[in-house]
Amino acid sequence: MQKRLKSNIWKYFLIILTNRRNYIPILALYFLSLPNTTAQQIGLYTGIGWIAGFLLEIPSGYISDKMGHKAALILAKLSMLASTLFFVLGNSLPYFILGSAFISIGFAFTSGTAEAFLHNTLLGLKKEGNYGDIDGKIKAKVSLISAGMILALPLLTKISLLMPIQVYLILDIVGIIIAFSLFSPKIEYTAEDIEGEKILSQLKRFKGTGFYRVSIFLGIIGAFILGLSPYKEPFVQSLGFPIILIGFIMALSRIIWFVVGHNLNFLKRIKLQKLIFYEIFFFSGFIILSSQLKNPYLIGIVLAIVIGYYHARTPIITEHYLNNFSINKRYKATMLSIKALIGKLFEAIFTFAIGFVMVISFSIGFFISGISLLIILLVFYPFVKRNLN
């Protein structure tokens, strides 16, 4: 059994890797190459997909905990394959709406579930104390491969705009095979781990634990980092950054992710309370710095560092949730999905609001974002620091 449990770790790596959709930027170009399509329709199918993912975030986590994490990951991989097929075989907006919706279903059923599955695997191996380090290194390796794919996929467009998407048919099939081969860990539960507990009951049980305070605080950080991400390319391009090199910013962020992710033990030596306090100045300071620079290459490097670091240190945050807020051990995916939904709410609000400022100036938009993030986090930090021990 131990051998089969250990195999879950490298299979988890493939689950995460095959879940990446590095062809998304190319997808928009392919869509516009089809007859009777417009740029506005890109926003339509993307928006519908986002809404589907938003509505499914918590239910998917709860269903995953009820039906089993392995079954949920299989469903996620089947959804990803369905989405790719809709994109490859479709030639009109309805196909892309369905493809976008199925991607969101795949992401929703993987979000929280994959991390819960890995944590249960490590519990079975009695290595749960190494969760952050193991998850960090796995996702760091995935990020490095993603960097290569981000740079390589555009080369395939010289053959066909569709080919980068077709490549993912193979990856999706691999992902499905791996999901079916996973070994479900047997976990012993205590009397407190109530079977059949409803979502509403769990939401009530989180009250007074600090779960909501911490989730809102961290959700605000994520909202600013992820909400600004779509504006980084237009920002540097407006300052003369060559379009042909745009992919290098995302690729560099993945390399930063890889480097930091392989050194999470160093970050874990810092108490989470202190680490989050340092991050207040790190994130807001780098965003403000990017707004003041005039060299698009330096701006691209600064933003790549921020985004890469943000993603790389996420396993440390997840480990804190699993160790401190997992009240009912049967519903880890549900808990992580609730956390993710809170983050998505703030991200949606921020992305919508900052868009009005970006119309005036990207520099002003990034400056206001950095100052706002600094003030908000400094005001709210005293209320969450005791829940970060």
Side-chain angles (χ1 to χ4, degrees):
M1 188 181 79
Q2 291 292 99
K3 186 176 180 180
R4 296 181 71 185
L5 274 175
K6 286 180 180 178
S7 72
N8 280 345
I9 296 177
W10 66 261
K11 290 174 183 177
Y12 174 81
F13 164 78
L14 290 176
I15 289 289
I16 301 300
L17 178 62
T18 55
N19 221 49
R20 294 293 176 91
R21 302 288 104 173
N22 295 311
Y23 64 74
I24 292 297
I26 297 170
L27 181 67
L29 298 176
Y30 171 64
F31 177 75
L32 290 176
S33 72
L34 298 173
N36 302 315
T37 57
T38 65
Q40 287 77 11
Q41 290 174 334
I42 295 174
L44 180 60
Y45 73 69
T46 303
I48 291 174
W50 187 90
I51 292 171
F54 180 81
L55 294 176
L56 279 170
E57 186 63 54
I58 292 179
S60 64
Y62 184 74
I63 292 170
S64 167
D65 287 323
K66 293 288 288 182
M67 71 189 295
H69 299 149
K70 175 180 175 178
L73 290 172
I74 291 171
L75 177 59
K77 291 304 176 187
L78 290 171
S79 297
M80 287 299 190
L81 176 61
S83 72
T84 307
L85 286 171
F86 277 119
F87 293 141
V88 170
L89 301 177
N91 57 3
S92 61
L93 179 62
Y95 286 97
F96 279 72
I97 289 174
L98 288 170
S100 186
F102 272 98
I103 277 185
S104 295
I105 293 171
F107 282 147
F109 274 95
T110 305
S111 172
T113 299
E115 289 79 5
F117 182 83
L118 176 63
H119 191 259
N120 283 347
T121 293
L122 295 177
L123 276 171
L125 294 170
K126 302 187 185 306
K127 293 183 178 180
E128 65 274 16
N130 297 329
Y131 171 85
D133 185 48
I134 292 172
D135 190 34
K137 286 183 177 178
I138 289 172
K139 289 178 177 174
K141 291 173 183 174
V142 170
S143 72
L144 188 64
I145 295 173
S146 292
M149 294 186 71
I150 289 166
L151 297 175
L153 285 176
L155 300 177
L156 296 177
T157 59
K158 293 183 178 180
I159 302 171
S160 165
L161 277 173
L162 189 57
M163 186 162 284
I165 306 167
Q166 291 172 328
V167 168
Y168 274 79
L169 287 174
I170 300 171
L171 293 176
D172 288 335
I173 292 171
V174 170
I176 291 171
I177 294 170
I178 293 298
F180 271 104
S181 72
L182 292 170
F183 179 69
S184 297
K186 296 185 184 299
I187 304 298
E188 293 183 6
Y189 296 104
T190 65
E192 293 182 355
D193 303 320
I194 304 168
E195 188 173 4
E197 186 174 14
K198 303 299 181 185
I199 294 177
L200 185 60
S201 173
Q202 294 181 62
L203 290 171
K204 289 179 179 178
R205 288 223 282 169
F206 284 129
K207 187 177 180 181
T209 64
F211 173 83
Y212 292 115
R213 283 197 297 268
V214 173
S215 296
I216 290 171
F217 186 85
L218 296 176
I220 291 171
I221 294 177
F224 276 77
I225 303 303
L226 300 178
L228 286 173
S229 186
Y231 296 104
K232 66 182 184 298
E233 287 86 1
F235 183 17
V236 296
Q237 190 180 341
S238 69
L239 295 174
F241 196 87
I243 296 177
I244 195 172
L245 298 178
I246 285 294
F248 280 85
I249 297 176
M250 187 179 291
L252 178 59
S253 73
R254 298 311 189 257
I255 293 171
I256 299 296
W257 186 344
F258 173 79
V259 173
V260 177
H262 265 270
N263 293 280
L264 285 184
N265 271 334
F266 173 77
L267 288 180
K268 287 179 70 174
R269 292 174 189 168
I270 307 171
K271 288 186 177 181
L272 186 62
Q273 185 185 92
K274 286 187 177 180
L275 180 64
I276 296 299
F277 180 72
Y278 297 151
E279 287 185 352
I280 294 174
F281 301 97
F282 173 76
F283 287 129
S284 59
F286 267 54
I287 292 171
I288 294 170
L289 175 62
S290 70
S291 73
Q292 300 304 299
L293 294 172
K294 302 302 178 184
N295 186 313
Y297 296 95
L298 291 178
I299 294 172
I301 292 171
V302 167
L303 295 179
I305 291 172
V306 170
I307 295 168
Y309 171 81
Y310 172 79
H311 287 297
R313 81 2 161 190
T314 299
I316 296 176
I317 304 298
T318 303
E319 185 176 50
H320 180 75
Y321 272 80
L322 290 167
N323 291 338
N324 295 278
F325 298 131
S326 187
I327 297 173
N328 189 337
K329 301 295 188 296
R330 294 178 184 271
Y331 294 93
K332 295 176 183 177
T334 305
M335 175 199 66
L336 293 175
S337 292
I338 294 169
K339 166 188 171 292
L341 185 68
I342 292 172
K344 285 185 177 182
L345 275 171
F346 282 100
E347 184 183 344
I349 294 169
F350 172 75
T351 304
F352 176 76
I354 198 62
F356 292 100
V357 184
M358 292 296 184
V359 172
I360 302 170
S361 166
F362 290 117
S363 295
I364 293 175
F366 274 78
F367 180 75
I368 291 176
S369 297
I371 293 294
S372 300
L373 180 62
L374 178 63
I375 294 171
I376 292 170
L377 295 183
L378 285 176
V379 169
F380 284 101
Y381 178 76
F383 298 97
V384 301
K385 66 177 184 179
R386 68 185 179 90
N387 299 118
L388 295 170
N389 286 322

